[in-house]
Amino acid sequence: MSDVQWLTTEEQRMWRAFHGMRRALDRGLERELADEAGLSSADFEVLVPLSEAPDRRLRARELGRMVSWDRSRLSHHLRRMERRGLVERLDCPGDARGTIIALTGAGWSLIQAAAPAHVAAVRSYVFDVLTPDDVVTFTNLTERIADQIARVSADPCPAGAVPDPCSNDAAAVSRDADPGCEE
Amino acid sequence: MSDVQWLTTEEQRMWRAFHGMRRALDRGLERELADEAGLSSADFEVLVPLSEAPDRRLRARELGRMVSWDRSRLSHHLRRMERRGLVERLDCPGDARGTIIALTGAGWSLIQAAAPAHVAAVRSYVFDVLTPDDVVTFTNLTERIADQIARVSADPCPAGAVPDPCSNDAAAVSRDADPGCEE
DNA sequence: GAAGATTGAGATGTCAATCTTG
DNA sequence: CAAGATTGACATCTCAATCTTC
């Protein structure tokens, strides 16, 4: 563990640029959605697949997979959205365990009204400064990284790693919190 | 607003890949930090500048600027970190309004112990699959986007007015039917 | 027992006051 | 009044039960 390969200057620069870009993008889009439609990006993320689904409804299970949320987060968020009149919960025919999430008329109207400005914001923030080639390049790089993360995460003990890969307790101070969120 | 330019197929693909990569990266790093050191990425983000500062201390104002958090978030988080014994709050000499945030011995030990594994994780997730050229390319693309966001956000660009220099009309590109973008 | 979903508790982040000092 | 910082209220997210149904 003592012979760590630290990041090079260029790697550090990329790391900072990446995080800075993320932060700016998140803030800008969050604010735009809130101002224009009273929606959070989480709301939007849920509303899009619902609006595109046949009959504008999906099983909670499917919806959760599409947005990559766990059941708990989805359930809490849908409860709040239901309270606001954006979605409805319905019984699932054929499987009494399931729940159907249906977009309400108000939810449909809202996503329809919000989408154009949101897409315009995404375009003005991101795609206005990228050529088609840039888009392909960026996609390839991000997909390569995503694949790598999936590969490494799936393999608990990467080859050539430390002798004792699965027990590394560096914690010296207790912690009253769980993994929280991201910068 | 009715003539919105929707995202092309390639743009949608990039948008999804980008968000998927972010999600995987966040989860992986969050889990790694929690397992190895009992830290969240937010903790880490605060500890790094403190550990690099002269005397291992910074004014809260400075620290807040470095991590790009607002005062409220920083104050809440520092209270929790202080409770865990990672940092201390001290009076600021010369400006009674200020607060000095000082890394404790425990905080220093923890960040020292956590950093190698964290860097190793970042390397294995990201930089192991990027050539030096890739790093430069990715940096340039993200910096370009970040600059663009800063430019567009700073300038409200009064709509309905004359065609002014801020209007980045991305010229004719094909379009898709659906509002296919998430988050 | 496993899967789908809900719930409550605790942690974190945001927003709007509030307080003190320059 | 403006800046630095804190606080309380509230929304959101995570984790660990819990419940029902397959």
Side-chain angles (χ1 to χ4, degrees):
Chain A
M1 187 63 80
S2 54
D3 55 347
V4 181
Q5 200 183 359
W6 301 97
L7 299 188
T8 67
T9 302
E10 282 307 307
E11 287 168 343
Q12 287 185 42
R13 186 165 154 243
M14 168 178 144
W15 198 239
R16 289 181 211 277
F18 174 63
H19 287 298
M21 183 270 272
R22 286 180 45 150
R23 197 156 28 220
L25 187 60
D26 289 347
R27 284 187 184 169
L29 292 181
E30 201 78 52
R31 199 169 58 80
E32 174 268 323
L33 270 174
D35 291 350
E36 301 283 334
L39 291 173
S40 67
S41 57
D43 296 330
F44 197 83
E45 209 174 343
V46 167
L47 290 175
V48 166
L50 279 175
S51 69
E52 292 173 343
D55 244 5
R56 295 173 201 165
R57 57 186 60 192
L58 287 169
R59 270 195 70 160
R61 177 184 56 177
E62 281 305 313
L63 183 54
R65 281 180 191 146
M66 293 168 109
V67 296
S68 298
W69 291 0
D70 64 32
R71 289 194 185 83
S72 178
R73 178 181 178 188
L74 186 64
S75 182
H76 282 305
H77 203 89
L78 288 174
R79 174 170 43 76
R80 290 175 223 128
M81 291 180 74
E82 186 175 29
R83 201 175 287 158
R84 290 195 281 153
L86 301 178
V87 300
E88 269 180 327
R89 283 173 154 93
L90 305 172
D91 288 338
C92 178
D95 188 343
R97 295 172 302 178
T99 302
I100 297 288
I101 310 300
L103 202 53
T104 64
W108 170 253
S109 302
L110 193 50
I111 184 68
Q112 291 302 108
H118 184 64
V119 173
V122 169
R123 179 168 295 290
S124 77
Y125 284 166
V126 177
F127 294 107
D128 273 357
V129 290
L130 299 183
T131 68
D133 279 353
D134 289 336
V135 171
V136 172
T137 300
F138 193 87
T139 304
N140 287 340
L141 289 172
T142 54
E143 284 183 344
R144 212 194 304 162
I145 295 172
D147 290 347
Q148 169 72 355
I149 295 170
R151 191 178 316 125
V152 174
S153 295
D155 184 356
C157 303
V162 283
D164 185 8
C166 299
S167 76
N168 248 328
D169 192 352
V173 175
S174 68
R175 194 166 177 291
D176 58 11
D178 289 354
C181 36
E182 153 58 28
E183 60 265 46
Chain B
M1 191 59 85
S2 57
D3 54 348
V4 180
Q5 199 178 9
W6 301 99
L7 299 188
T8 67
T9 303
E10 284 306 308
E11 287 168 342
Q12 287 185 42
R13 187 165 154 243
M14 169 180 143
W15 196 239
R16 289 180 210 279
F18 174 63
H19 287 297
M21 184 268 271
R22 283 180 46 153
R23 198 158 23 225
L25 186 60
D26 290 347
R27 284 186 182 167
L29 292 181
E30 202 78 53
R31 198 171 56 78
E32 175 267 323
L33 271 173
D35 291 350
E36 302 282 336
L39 291 173
S40 67
S41 55
D43 297 329
F44 197 83
E45 208 175 342
V46 167
L47 290 174
V48 166
L50 279 175
S51 69
E52 292 173 344
D55 243 6
R56 294 172 200 166
R57 58 186 59 193
L58 287 170
R59 270 194 71 161
R61 177 184 56 177
E62 281 305 313
L63 183 54
R65 281 179 191 148
M66 291 168 108
V67 298
S68 299
W69 291 0
D70 64 31
R71 290 194 185 83
S72 177
R73 179 180 177 187
L74 186 64
S75 182
H76 282 305
H77 203 89
L78 289 174
R79 175 173 42 78
R80 294 186 288 256
M81 292 179 74
E82 186 175 29
R83 198 177 289 156
R84 287 155 59 201
L86 301 179
V87 300
E88 269 180 326
R89 282 173 154 95
L90 305 173
D91 287 338
C92 178
D95 189 342
R97 294 174 303 180
T99 303
I100 297 290
I101 310 301
L103 202 55
T104 64
W108 170 254
S109 302
L110 192 51
I111 185 67
Q112 291 302 108
H118 184 64
V119 173
V122 169
R123 181 166 294 291
S124 77
Y125 283 166
V126 177
F127 294 106
D128 273 357
V129 290
L130 299 183
T131 68
D133 279 353
D134 289 335
V135 171
V136 172
T137 301
F138 194 88
T139 304
N140 288 339
L141 289 172
T142 55
E143 284 182 344
R144 212 193 304 163
I145 295 171
D147 290 347
Q148 169 72 354
I149 296 170
R151 190 177 316 127
V152 174
S153 296
D155 186 1
C157 189
V162 252
D164 46 79
C166 2
S167 65
N168 277 325
D169 79 300
V173 183
S174 65
R175 36 157 313 183
D176 281 50
D178 286 332
C181 50
E182 70 268 52
E183 216 201 37

